[in-house]
Amino acid sequence: MENRSLTKITNIAWSMIENCLHQGSVALDGTMGNGNDTVFLREKIGNAGKIYSFDIQDLAVENTRKKLDERNMLSNVELIKDGHENLDKYIKEEIDGAMYNLGFLPKGDKSITTLGKNTVIAFEKTLNLLKKGGLMVISIYYGHEKGLEEKNMVLDYVQNLDSKKYHVIKMEFFNQKNNPPILVAIEKK
Ligand SMILES: C[S@@+](CC[C@H](N)C(=O)[O-])C[C@H]1O[C@@H](n2cnc3c(N)ncnc32)[C@H](O)[C@@H]1O
């Protein structure tokens, strides 16, 4: 594992998710955004696996496509312009890992955000597709208008997952102010 400090939640999310990915794995990026997580997942799975990546904004798809293209990584990645709540229309196989990064597109329109009602549907569908031993990592940025509502819906959902079927961990930056992001990791037993 690379040495990634605790300064960014992404570092922690990546350090966790990479443990369940290998060359040839299938993974999901539920919130493509600027493509950083999609590129990371694609690096981990190599040329043999598959990444499904979702966003509702053209700008996110464009930015991600560009990032992948610059790295010669477009193969094996499906960039899907649709809501993650519809992921079962596109994914018909089991997945090894999934990432969600909730909030708005950095450097984009801050009024377009993930919404609790959609993310909870997406989580349910993701967990159905997740292999036993697979991991889903969720970064919750909630310092926006609909953020608190989404955070509460998400935490309520994950807290009530059956402990016989899932391990659920919640991490937060305990000594930071101004709505620091929260990380949730769910492992399917
Ligand atoms: C915090 S950003 C994601 C950052 C991204 N993971 C990255 O590496 O740059 C959240 C993204 O979720 C997208 N989003 C909002 N609602 C969505 C939905 N229903 N389905 C998929 N993506 C959605 C937004 O358009 C935004 O680009």
Side-chain angles (χ1 to χ4, degrees):
M1 194 190 295
E2 285 168 48
N3 180 18
R4 300 194 191 104
S5 79
L6 296 183
T7 49
K8 281 173 69 189
I9 203 160
T10 308
N11 289 345
I12 307 169
W14 286 359
S15 294
M16 293 181 104
I17 197 82
E18 71 183 347
N19 290 323
C20 71
L21 299 179
H22 49 82
Q23 296 280 311
S25 289
V26 178
L28 159 69
D29 182 356
T31 47
M32 191 188 306
N34 289 317
N36 300 307
D37 294 327
T38 296
V39 166
F40 178 80
L41 294 171
R42 175 61 178 75
E43 274 171 7
K44 296 295 151 192
I45 62 127
N47 293 318
K50 174 105 187 198
I51 304 296
Y52 296 92
S53 196
F54 288 82
D55 208 290
I56 51 172
Q57 296 193 63
D58 285 319
L59 182 61
V61 178
E62 277 165 30
N63 289 350
T64 303
R65 189 182 305 284
K66 188 161 173 276
K67 233 172 223 164
L68 288 164
D69 197 20
E70 283 164 2
R71 293 163 177 76
N72 211 11
M73 286 183 168
L74 271 171
S75 67
N76 304 13
V77 184
E78 204 169 318
L79 300 177
I80 301 160
K81 199 202 151 207
D82 198 353
H84 39 224
E85 62 278 13
N86 300 319
L87 63 90
D88 53 329
K89 282 193 201 163
Y90 304 89
I91 310 178
K92 305 289 180 192
E93 58 184 326
E94 285 194 313
I95 58 177
D96 297 277
M99 295 191 76
Y100 282 85
N101 203 320
L102 307 179
F104 53 78
L105 177 68
K107 299 189 189 141
D109 183 344
K110 291 188 170 45
S111 72
I112 305 173
T113 66
T114 52
L115 297 172
K117 67 180 167 66
N118 295 325
T119 43
V120 167
I121 294 171
F123 290 173
E124 182 86 23
K125 292 181 175 180
T126 302
L127 291 176
N128 285 339
L129 290 170
L130 200 62
K131 276 184 192 162
K132 284 194 174 139
L135 193 72
M136 168 160 145
V137 183
I138 306 158
S139 303
I140 311 172
Y141 293 87
Y142 61 99
H144 57 89
E145 202 193 323
K146 298 272 171 53
L148 200 58
E149 184 185 46
E150 180 175 49
K151 179 191 94 162
N152 290 337
M153 284 177 80
V154 166
L155 293 183
D156 185 58
Y157 175 78
V158 299
Q159 190 173 22
N160 287 300
L161 285 169
D162 185 349
S163 60
K164 292 194 188 75
K165 294 184 182 160
Y166 301 102
H167 297 292
V168 182
I169 286 180
K170 177 181 158 222
M171 294 169 84
E172 47 197 323
F173 290 99
F174 211 23
N175 62 344
Q176 282 187 17
K177 298 198 170 37
N178 300 323
N179 309 316
I182 296 171
L183 188 99
V184 171
I186 305 169
E187 185 184 56
K188 197 170 193 171
K189 289 187 180 181

